[in-house]
Amino acid sequence: MEYFLFIHNNTDQPTTAAQWDAFFAAANQSGLFLGGSEVAGSAQIGSKGVRATTDSVAGFMRFEAEELSQLHQLLALHPVYLQGGTFELCEIPKTS
């Protein structure tokens, strides 16, 4: 199953480069990590205004895991989690 992780910018303390280095090493070694990026700025397209996602979301990551428990173990090392912040893990449905 594939998962999309929205990373919120609400940590209690700033994350550190060492935390990110350790997380990316573990993520790459796990084989679960499919990539991601920081996000900055946005442009709304459409006729209805909504709150900008970038007001809350600072980045995203994609993962693939057969067992959700594997992914939970990895995410326990995530710098945002370690610094008291929030992320949302969303299942990406398979299309047939």
Side-chain angles (χ1 to χ4, degrees), residues 19-20 27 37 42 47 62 71 76 79 81:
Q19 288 174 320
W20 284 107
S37 178
S42 66
S47 60
R62 286 183 49 234
L71 186 50
Y81 177 79

Side-chain angles (χ1 to χ4, degrees), residues 28-71:
N28 288 322
Q29 184 178 17
S30 75
L32 305 176
F33 182 56
L34 300 177
S37 178
E38 290 182 76
V39 295
S42 66
Q44 292 188 10
I45 301 166
S47 60
K48 296 180 182 174
V50 296
R51 185 173 158 220
T53 302
T54 53
D55 287 349
S56 172
V57 174
F60 70 92
M61 293 179 164
R62 286 183 49 234
F63 298 91
E64 185 170 11
E66 302 246 343
E67 296 292 327
L68 190 54
S69 61
Q70 294 174 295
L71 186 50

Side-chain angles (χ1 to χ4, degrees), residues 1 11 13 16 24 35 37 39 54 66 87 92:
M1 186 66 60
T11 57
Q13 308 257 342
T16 67
F24 282 121
S37 178
V39 295
T54 53
E66 302 246 343
F87 44 71
I92 300 172

Side-chain angles (χ1 to χ4, degrees), residues 6-27:
F6 291 101
I7 305 163
H8 291 271
N9 57 0
N10 66 345
T11 57
D12 295 332
Q13 308 257 342
T15 59
T16 67
Q19 288 174 320
W20 284 107
D21 290 346
F23 176 75
F24 282 121

